Amino acid sequence: MNDFRIPLGSLADDFIAFVTDNFSFLFDFVRTIFNGAYEFVDLVLASPPFWVIILVAAALGLMVRGWKFAVGAVIGLIVIVGVDQWQNAMDSLALVLVASVLAILVSIPLGILAAKSAPASKIIRPILDFMQTMPAFVYLIPALILFRVGVVPGIVATIIFAMAPGVRLTELGIRSVDHEVVEAGEAFGASPARILRQIQLPLAMPTVMAGINQVIMLSLSMVVIAGMVGAGGLGQQVVASLSRIDVSLGFEAGLAVVILAIFLDRMTASLGTGITPIGRLLAGRKHRRQAAAVAAESPISAPVADVKTPQPAGV
């Protein structure tokens, strides 16, 4: 019994070696694309003075949640500046944004496919279970082999780790739409694509946005792990503080991660509810336009024209 062994590790090693030998050009291309996207976003976030980014964040917070959240965002970002972690925070934010966007672009179509096709759902669910339960450090091993040290392995591992809730909640949201509403759309002759675009996705949007929120939060939780493979940013600072037992550096970098997490979480959560200051403003303007259109189309009693009484001839 002691000699019994299933060589799964050797099979995985052989598979990675085969992929590396035969498809290295493809992974070099993906590395170039991902690295370019990261550098562009990082340039947008890190190049302007810090107060410009803070003002933009405050404006977004004001539109999405109101003035209290905007003030809180300003205070939190100033704290990041005060602990000298601004550049690292922008590097980590760039990684999170790139990885989250890529994960969302993959997860939402997969969620729609799983909601529309029962066989696809049965295939996708075990894969998602595997992705969610496999330790995140394991993703870094093949990512390092295929994409080499740098920010790209961190982005790839983050995408794999974070996309599962986006798929699950998109599928759940679409499946939860009332079937009678869908049947009404079919009765009016709407195509499946139009039903998905104009009925199912709008009604499922709160659940879909909850999935997007979870994707972003899981992406941010991978910042420290990505720092272990040369991704830089706050994760690298946390890893450095751990290697040097530097409590102050670890606390400052960890606090910056917390501030970014709270800001992104509250922003996406508010977008999911659909009740925001800018949303109320737009809804009020739309209501006023509709009221004006109804008033313009309503019949208005015209003044009665003077009618001359015909006079007898000869008078």
Side-chain angles (χ1 to χ4, degrees):
M1 189 65 182
N2 292 333
D3 295 333
F4 176 75
R5 176 175 173 81
I6 302 176
L8 292 179
S10 299
L11 293 175
D13 191 21
D14 294 340
F15 174 75
I16 294 297
F18 171 79
V19 171
T20 304
D21 294 338
N22 295 276
F23 299 98
S24 59
F25 67 94
L26 177 62
F27 293 105
D28 289 340
F29 175 75
V30 173
R31 174 185 169 84
T32 302
I33 297 297
F34 283 11
N35 198 51
Y38 168 79
E39 289 180 353
F40 173 75
V41 176
D42 189 49
L43 181 67
V44 171
L45 293 174
S47 294
F50 70 88
W51 55 267
V52 174
I53 303 299
I54 292 177
L55 288 178
V56 172
L60 291 174
L62 183 63
M63 291 189 294
V64 171
R65 288 187 66 95
W67 68 269
K68 293 181 180 179
F69 179 72
V71 172
V74 170
I75 294 173
L77 295 177
I78 290 176
V79 170
I80 295 177
V81 176
V83 297
D84 197 25
Q85 293 293 335
W86 181 258
Q87 180 65 48
N88 294 320
M90 293 303 101
D91 293 343
S92 296
L93 183 58
L95 186 149
V96 169
L97 292 179
V98 171
S100 298
V101 169
L102 293 172
I104 291 166
L105 291 177
V106 175
S107 62
I108 290 181
L110 283 178
I112 294 172
L113 176 63
K116 293 291 186 178
S117 172
S121 178
K122 292 179 181 179
I123 295 172
I124 291 173
R125 286 184 181 182
I127 298 175
L128 296 179
D129 294 337
F130 177 84
M131 292 166 57
Q132 285 188 296
T133 54
M134 178 66 71
F137 288 96
V138 178
Y139 298 138
L140 296 178
I141 302 172
L144 277 172
I145 296 172
L146 297 174
F147 299 102
R148 301 189 296 275
V149 175
V151 70
V152 177
I155 292 176
V156 172
T158 301
I159 293 172
I160 297 173
F161 181 74
M163 65 181 290
V167 179
R168 293 187 187 277
L169 288 174
T170 300
E171 179 185 2
L172 176 64
I174 293 177
R175 288 185 181 273
S176 301
V177 175
D178 192 347
H179 292 289
E180 294 182 356
V181 179
V182 177
E183 291 173 357
E186 294 173 348
F188 281 100
S191 64
R194 187 172 183 182
I195 290 174
L196 174 66
R197 187 176 64 255
Q198 297 185 353
I199 296 177
Q200 291 176 313
L201 281 178
L203 293 177
M205 190 53 64
T207 307
V208 174
M209 287 302 303
I212 293 175
N213 174 271
Q214 290 302 304
V215 168
I216 296 174
M217 291 298 99
L218 289 177
S219 298
L220 197 53
S221 70
M222 286 288 290
V223 164
V224 176
I225 297 176
M228 300 181 67
V229 293
L234 296 172
Q236 190 178 49
Q237 297 296 301
V238 173
V239 173
S241 68
L242 182 63
S243 63
R244 302 199 300 259
I245 317 298
D246 190 339
V247 177
S248 63
L249 178 61
F251 179 78
E252 292 172 353
L255 180 62
V257 173
V258 171
I259 292 171
L260 291 179
I262 292 174
F263 177 76
L264 295 174
D265 176 64
R266 299 300 187 270
M267 288 276 290
T268 53
S270 296
L271 293 174
T273 61
I275 304 175
T276 63
I278 188 65
R280 288 192 292 267
L281 177 62
L282 295 176
R285 293 182 60 184
K286 182 178 179 181
H287 178 72
R288 287 192 293 271
R289 288 199 202 98
Q290 291 175 345
V294 171
E297 294 175 358
S298 61
I300 302 175
S301 57
V304 179
D306 294 336
V307 179
K308 294 183 179 181
T309 304
Q311 298 292 331
V315 177

